Amino acid sequence: MSLDEWICYGIPEETQAEASGWIARLDGDDVSAEMRSRFSLWLDADPTNRWAYEELSLVWARVATLSDRRAQIHESKVLIFPTPDTAPVQKVSKHSWWQSAAAILLIVAGFSFAWLSPVPVIESGSTENTQADHFLFGFE
Amino acid sequence: MSKKQTDIDVRLARTVRETRTQLLAALARMLPMPEAEEVVQEAYLRLFMALQKSPEIEIRPYIFRVARNLAISRLRHQRVVHEHASAVEMAAENLQQRPNTEHEVCSEQDKQSLLAAINSLPPACRQVFVFRKIEGMSHREISERMGISVKTVENHIARGMRLCREYFIRPAAVVDHCPAGEADHVAG
């Protein structure tokens, strides 16, 4: 069978989802006898289950044939965040309250300056533009 | 009648009894019912002939696969006849195909198609595919390397397979929607 538009043709989406889930689980490191038994029952429950499983397995199996094309597979720049176990714990300084207070004061001062500064005289243009410029200026 | 022949007849009759209804229902998703019935009949005939040669074959996988291949061959044939009347001969060759789930040969065209499908996957999904199938890492090793759970590794594999399948059924003009360099975040 080729990897073409007939793969899983006429097979319901939910059956394809179940089949791909089974392929992924059976590909895992720990596959229990109980899991294999449940899989066997599922596989024989309906022809579409078997079709979906066989045809998606074909896709999965053939990925390995691309080992000689490794350079043609796009690099994934996945940003990996540290897990909770390995995340560095940030030490909170007990004297850091004054830094927060200073930051708040600076923000308030910035707003006050912006609000109280005289509006620059602009010879032409709408009032809306003038206010927008003034507002932006206050934050420069 | 020999004992061997009797055994085959009994197995065949039991198979027809156990599988006919569900096989017809499944094929009816692909073909009109009269054609589905023809396919089922032909599949049982092929099973009968196969049992004569190799009585040890696994019946259920065999009959389901034969029926599926016959149905797809019909659909291919109909499409080719519809789109290219002059190519009927080529489609007729497809009708002669026998089920062959073993010793599959991955053609160059399949490789290109698969490569394009893999490159269209979301980056995390693609990375899991590469780690598992190209570099041979276990699910646990992948989960540790990427800072994700083993369950998430499974989910990426399952989703990736379905996305590859979706890629195959898209028109050929569709281009890679996930260019190299795009990054995604994997929360640990």
Side-chain angles (χ1 to χ4, degrees):
Chain A
M1 187 165 212
S2 300
L3 299 180
D4 56 19
E5 74 271 28
W6 302 106
I7 294 269
C8 289
Y9 177 85
I11 296 174
E13 290 288 330
E14 62 265 27
T15 307
Q16 293 181 44
E18 286 173 14
S20 61
W22 274 116
I23 294 166
R25 279 193 291 280
L26 295 172
D27 185 68
D29 308 333
D30 306 305
V31 182
S32 65
E34 189 263 337
M35 189 189 284
R36 285 193 190 285
S37 171
R38 278 195 297 128
F39 167 68
S40 192
L41 288 174
W42 174 84
L43 194 64
D44 279 340
D46 195 274
T48 54
N49 291 358
R50 187 176 284 275
W51 293 341
Y53 174 76
E54 286 179 356
E55 290 164 27
L56 289 174
S57 289
L58 193 65
V59 176
W60 183 231
R62 286 190 180 172
V63 178
T65 67
L66 296 179
S67 53
D68 60 340
R69 318 261 163 120
R70 177 71 182 82
Q72 292 174 51
I73 299 176
H74 297 165
E75 285 295 329
S76 296
K77 292 180 182 168
V78 179
L79 304 182
I80 298 169
F81 292 139
T83 55
D85 289 338
T86 58
V89 180
Q90 219 173 18
K91 203 174 174 181
V92 180
S93 165
K94 61 182 176 181
H95 297 299
S96 63
W97 64 269
W98 65 268
Q99 290 172 328
S100 307
I104 292 167
L105 274 175
L106 279 172
I107 292 168
V108 170
F111 267 111
S112 306
F113 176 72
W115 188 256
L116 297 173
S117 296
V119 177
V121 178
I122 295 177
E123 291 176 358
S124 63
S126 71
T127 312
E128 273 180 29
N129 283 343
T130 306
Q131 283 184 341
D133 291 341
H134 175 225
F135 184 77
L136 290 170
F137 176 74
F139 281 86
E140 278 177 356
Chain B
M1 190 182 283
S2 70
K3 184 176 181 304
K4 182 189 164 194
Q5 189 60 48
T6 310
D7 279 352
I8 289 172
D9 289 348
V10 168
R11 288 173 72 195
L12 189 65
R14 192 174 61 221
T15 303
V16 172
R17 205 169 49 244
E18 289 175 355
T19 59
R20 191 170 189 282
T21 305
Q22 57 176 190
L23 201 45
L24 268 178
L27 287 169
R29 294 178 168 278
M30 307 167 69
L31 298 165
M33 191 49 92
E35 286 191 53
E37 284 176 350
E38 282 176 22
V39 165
V40 169
Q41 287 307 317
E42 189 174 345
Y44 287 133
L45 178 62
R46 291 197 181 188
L47 173 63
F48 176 75
M49 293 190 299
L51 283 171
Q52 307 282 337
K53 275 167 110 178
S54 324
E56 73 284 356
I57 58 168
E58 276 196 76
I59 289 183
R60 195 174 278 258
Y62 183 90
I63 190 70
F64 287 167
R65 180 43 52 193
V66 169
R68 173 75 168 171
N69 286 1
L70 286 170
I72 288 175
S73 291
R74 271 183 185 245
L75 290 165
R76 274 202 183 114
H77 177 76
Q78 287 164 5
R79 180 177 291 182
V80 171
V81 169
H82 179 70
E83 292 177 359
H84 311 283
S86 63
V88 170
E89 207 171 293
M90 188 177 73
E93 281 176 20
N94 287 339
L95 280 173
Q96 300 306 314
Q97 282 183 349
R98 296 291 185 274
N100 179 19
T101 53
E102 292 177 0
H103 310 299
E104 293 281 356
V105 177
C106 195
S107 69
E108 179 57 31
Q109 193 184 350
D110 275 359
K111 271 193 172 185
Q112 286 300 332
S113 175
L114 188 57
L115 185 64
I118 300 288
N119 278 334
S120 78
L121 292 177
C125 215
R126 185 167 64 241
Q127 188 64 68
V128 170
F129 267 53
V130 168
F131 278 155
R132 179 72 188 123
K133 300 299 281 188
I134 308 291
E135 298 185 16
M137 291 166 66
S138 70
H139 287 208
R140 193 166 293 113
E141 287 168 334
I142 297 169
S143 80
E144 285 165 5
R145 180 81 168 266
M146 294 179 72
I148 56 179
S149 69
V150 170
K151 187 71 199 161
T152 306
V153 172
E154 273 181 19
N155 290 341
H156 279 310
I157 291 172
R159 182 167 172 242
M161 262 181 278
R162 294 200 303 279
L163 289 174
C164 282
R165 185 261 166 182
E166 281 175 24
Y167 187 90
F168 298 140
I169 64 172
R170 278 183 289 183
V174 174
V175 293
D176 188 352
H177 71 269
C178 195
E182 183 184 332
D184 66 348
H185 296 203
V186 181

